[in-house]
Amino acid sequence: MTSSELWTRETADRYDAEEAETGMASGAVLGPTLDFLTELAGDGRALEFAIGTGRVGVPLRERGVPVVGIELSAHMAAVLRRKTDEETLPVSLGDMATTVVPGEFTLVYLVYNTITNLLTQDEQVECFRNAARHLSPGGRFVIELGVPPLRYLPPGQVAVPFDVSERHLGFDTFDLVEQVLVSNHFTRDPDDGTYRRANSRHRYAWPAELDLMARIAGLELERRVGDWDGTPFTQDSPKHISVWRKPA
């Protein structure tokens, strides 16, 4: 067990609906993501760390890429299992830092900031080592991760809003010493107007820090872009897609 927080049954049951509302399950978002991952997987197999409800893993499998998943929350895995069977897309319950599944993969990937669910640097390093452990020579490890938005923090403040809309209020609060952010959400129920509060903790990390973790795990940075469509990564990019390669 790692320090990751477990997703509850209630959260898992509404996860897909909320992702659909935000557009994360749309073709506009998933299309470039699947194109990117399919090209890297080639003729080999792909392993998704923290596969969740299968937002990416299920359609990637439908494209013909053999996919295996690791997921800490049994409730999230249960939602995925409603979409496809174990033979088509095997999922092992466990944490992404230490859980080992059989075989080698040409691609291991982590999407949507999920590496930040590991709340210590040591665990994040172990995640890189676990990816390297599963990769065949020449295989790639891919991470999608937001750039910490600390440049938006006014002096003396520790909160940054990321969504202010009629249905949802979201803001992150930062512990700058421990390098931990808490993502806070207030979501309005459209039926009765009440608000549901939820929050989750994350350990943010900089691109250069991830590169060092990769080096510790024996991986080399191959490519870094600003989005799945290949947008260049710049100092103003809000996130990055990074690809590290295991030497052949």
Side-chain angles (χ1 to χ4, degrees):
M1 175 65 69
T2 70
S3 61
S4 296
E5 297 175 345
L6 277 171
W7 295 83
T8 65
R9 181 187 300 275
E10 180 184 11
T11 300
D13 285 343
R14 63 172 182 259
Y15 185 84
D16 284 351
E18 292 182 348
E19 291 305 286
E21 287 184 6
T22 62
M24 292 302 297
S26 68
V29 172
L30 280 179
T33 305
L34 298 174
D35 290 343
F36 194 103
L37 296 175
T38 299
E39 180 180 356
L40 288 182
D43 296 328
R45 300 194 302 158
L47 172 61
E48 181 172 353
F49 284 173
I51 194 169
T53 65
R55 178 182 68 91
V56 173
V58 170
L60 185 62
R61 180 66 185 90
E62 291 172 348
R63 284 201 173 194
V65 177
V67 177
V68 175
I70 294 175
E71 174 55 42
L72 183 61
S73 169
H75 300 303
M76 296 289 276
V79 174
L80 182 152
R81 195 51 66 220
R82 300 171 194 165
K83 306 172 183 177
T84 186
D85 58 42
E86 177 70 17
E87 183 177 354
T88 302
L89 203 167
V91 175
S92 295
L93 292 179
D95 69 81
M96 55 187 165
T98 63
T99 301
V100 177
V101 299
E104 289 188 332
F105 300 83
T106 56
L107 173 67
V108 179
Y109 67 94
L110 259 174
V111 298
Y112 209 16
N113 304 320
T114 314
I115 194 170
T116 66
N117 291 355
L118 299 169
L119 298 179
T120 70
Q121 186 182 70
D122 286 343
E123 289 172 355
Q124 292 178 353
V125 169
E126 287 306 311
C127 180
F128 272 82
R129 284 177 167 156
N130 201 28
R133 183 181 297 124
H134 286 92
L135 285 173
S136 57
R140 276 91 169 190
F141 182 35
V142 177
I143 286 181
E144 175 188 23
L145 183 59
V147 177
L150 301 189
R151 63 191 299 185
Y152 299 115
L153 279 176
Q157 294 191 26
V158 294
V160 173
F162 58 84
D163 183 33
V164 180
S165 61
E166 183 178 350
R167 178 110 191 260
H168 177 254
L169 170 64
F171 62 93
D172 293 329
T173 56
F174 293 84
D175 182 331
L176 302 180
V177 174
E178 297 297 328
Q179 213 165 300
V180 169
L181 71 84
V182 178
S183 185
N184 300 273
H185 303 265
F186 293 85
T187 305
R188 184 177 181 272
D189 188 309
D191 296 325
D192 61 16
T194 60
Y195 280 83
R196 181 181 70 252
R197 179 179 180 179
N199 60 63
S200 57
R201 293 185 301 153
H202 306 266
R203 182 187 186 273
Y204 61 86
W206 303 95
E209 185 180 5
L210 297 182
D211 290 342
L212 184 56
M213 293 181 189
R215 188 181 305 176
I216 291 171
L219 305 176
E220 302 169 346
L221 179 66
E222 180 177 77
R223 184 184 182 196
R224 176 169 289 129
V225 292
D227 211 339
W228 296 105
D229 60 6
T231 300
F233 178 72
T234 71
Q235 64 179 2
D236 296 318
S237 297
K239 73 173 186 179
H240 61 96
I241 315 297
S242 294
V243 182
W244 296 273
R245 184 175 181 272
K246 183 175 183 176

